[in-house]
Amino acid sequence: MISCLRGEFRGKKMKLATITFGCKVNQYETACIADEFKQKGFSIVNFSDEADVYIINSCTVTNRTDFKSRSALRKALRRKTENPNVKVVITGCYSQRNKEEIAKIGDVDLIADNNSKASIFKMLEHPEAKEFVDILHYSDFEEMNTSSMNDRTRAFVKIQDGCDYYCTYCAIPFARGHSRSRDKDKVLAQIKQLAEAGYKEFVLGGINMGLFGKDKTDNFFLSHLLQDLEKIKGVELIRLSSVEPLLFTNNLLNFFSDSKKIAHHFHIPLQSGNNKILKEMNRNYTIEQFADS
């Protein structure tokens, strides 16, 4: 197995195929995973092509994404039936909540929990290191880095993971765990690296991005990060993914007003226009508060 994962086996260059379902956070994480395999000598191919390692980064937001994740897993397992040397990996929100179900689908080589995606290559190379952990046991942000975004012209950078809101209908806290913020210096270093690689437009994101910094003790929040990001040479446009309505602080609004680089477009989720339904959903705002935010 070790020789297989060095990127070349019996003179043949090894191939990695990935498929990603769900949010931009998943897309960023897949880019980081693929970047490590590329550094180890692998070439990246389409998921429909023959490969030596297949990685499914799954989603569980809807029944449909559950279905798509299972379907992709079965396609990869059919490749493994044709070639027993193929390695099949699944990670992401669907696999975090359905480990036992996945184990019944077929001979999966690795089910990686949602805070161990950076260790996928290591766990394949050293199977004895495999460990699946309940996501709610994690308190630290898993650092993942990439030098490219799979040929995308826009760079997405993950700065936060998890959510502490526990809305009535939502599976995400149980799939992503408690809110965990990326170290500010590592965020800025990642953006500098991508800016030096030629990226000019950056999208910051997370599972509940407005919570960035609230699990730390240094009083450094999203507005402070944006102020530092705007100063980085090469950064021309900054975008934000979804921010909950009650997390638009005065400091954040002041930055939006003064910034010359922030895109004047914000995604503010409104789950219902009915206060009774919002309360039953355990959303922490009313339609009146949403309108004032």
Side-chain angles (χ1 to χ4, degrees):
M1 187 61 191
I2 292 177
S3 60
C4 169
L5 287 182
R6 284 177 181 163
E8 190 170 320
F9 185 61
R10 294 179 181 175
K12 171 192 171 188
K13 190 175 180 67
M14 307 303 289
K15 299 176 181 179
L16 169 71
T18 66
I19 190 168
T20 308
F21 299 102
C23 63
K24 285 184 171 62
V25 169
N26 263 9
Q27 293 173 20
Y28 174 79
E29 291 166 344
T30 298
C32 294
I33 294 166
D35 195 57
E36 179 175 13
F37 275 80
K38 284 189 288 187
Q39 291 176 24
K40 303 294 186 182
F42 277 69
S43 61
I44 310 300
V45 300
N46 292 328
F47 195 79
S48 58
D49 296 338
E50 289 188 10
D52 300 283
V53 179
Y54 291 88
I55 298 178
I56 300 102
N57 198 353
S58 66
C59 176
T60 195
V61 169
T62 65
N63 289 336
R64 184 64 182 168
T65 54
D66 284 358
F67 171 81
K68 288 181 177 180
S69 299
R70 287 192 299 268
S71 177
L73 178 60
R74 291 190 174 100
K75 288 178 182 177
L77 288 170
R78 284 197 288 272
R79 295 285 191 179
K80 186 177 179 68
T81 301
E82 299 165 0
N83 177 6
N85 291 322
V86 164
K87 302 300 173 185
V88 177
V89 179
I90 186 167
T91 187
C93 292
Y94 171 72
S95 60
Q96 183 70 50
R97 300 187 69 229
N98 296 278
K99 182 175 182 288
E100 291 75 16
E101 178 181 329
I102 287 169
K104 296 175 183 177
I105 293 176
D107 185 18
V108 180
D109 294 276
L110 174 62
I111 306 173
D113 69 62
N114 248 342
N115 211 55
S116 298
K117 293 177 179 179
S119 301
I120 285 176
F121 187 92
K122 176 184 176 181
M123 289 190 288
L124 281 177
E125 193 173 33
H126 302 286
E128 69 278 5
K130 292 191 295 186
E131 182 182 9
F132 187 92
V133 179
D134 184 338
I135 197 67
L136 293 174
H137 292 168
Y138 286 109
S139 58
D140 295 327
F141 183 95
E142 182 195 29
E143 179 62 26
M144 300 184 76
N145 201 57
T146 182
S147 59
S148 66
M149 294 300 299
N150 294 336
D151 297 326
R152 295 178 185 272
T153 57
R154 177 187 297 177
F156 182 91
V157 177
K158 175 185 171 184
I159 67 169
Q160 182 272 343
D161 205 344
C163 183
D164 294 329
Y165 279 7
Y166 294 93
C167 297
T168 304
Y169 59 90
C170 188
I172 294 304
F174 305 100
R176 282 284 179 173
H178 304 297
S179 180
R180 308 181 299 286
S181 301
R182 191 174 186 178
D183 181 83
K184 60 185 179 182
D185 292 330
K186 291 180 179 177
V187 175
L188 296 172
Q190 168 73 107
I191 292 170
K192 287 178 183 177
Q193 180 185 16
L194 291 169
E196 289 170 358
Y199 291 92
K200 301 181 185 301
E201 182 177 345
F202 292 84
V203 184
L204 300 188
I207 300 304
N208 191 341
M209 187 179 58
L211 294 176
F212 175 81
K214 295 185 182 297
D215 57 316
K216 304 283 189 181
T217 59
D218 57 1
N219 292 319
F220 188 92
F221 303 116
L222 182 58
S223 60
H224 305 112
L225 181 68
L226 289 169
Q227 290 168 19
D228 287 351
L229 168 56
E230 191 168 44
K231 299 172 186 175
I232 294 176
K233 182 180 179 180
V235 174
E236 295 184 2
L237 186 63
I238 304 167
R239 296 185 185 273
L240 301 180
S241 61
S242 180
V243 179
E244 292 290 323
L246 295 186
L247 294 176
F248 278 89
T249 64
N250 288 333
N251 285 341
L252 198 56
L253 294 172
N254 288 336
F255 171 81
F256 295 157
S257 176
D258 297 337
S259 173
K260 294 179 173 58
K261 295 184 178 181
I262 193 75
H264 292 168
H265 172 269
F266 307 106
H267 180 257
I268 310 172
L270 176 64
Q271 301 296 330
S272 173
N274 182 287
N275 284 336
K276 180 176 181 294
I277 294 175
L278 287 171
K279 184 177 180 179
E280 290 176 349
M281 286 180 165
N282 198 30
R283 303 296 289 184
N284 294 314
Y285 57 83
T286 64
I287 55 174
E288 289 78 16
Q289 289 173 314
F290 182 91
D292 290 339
S293 65

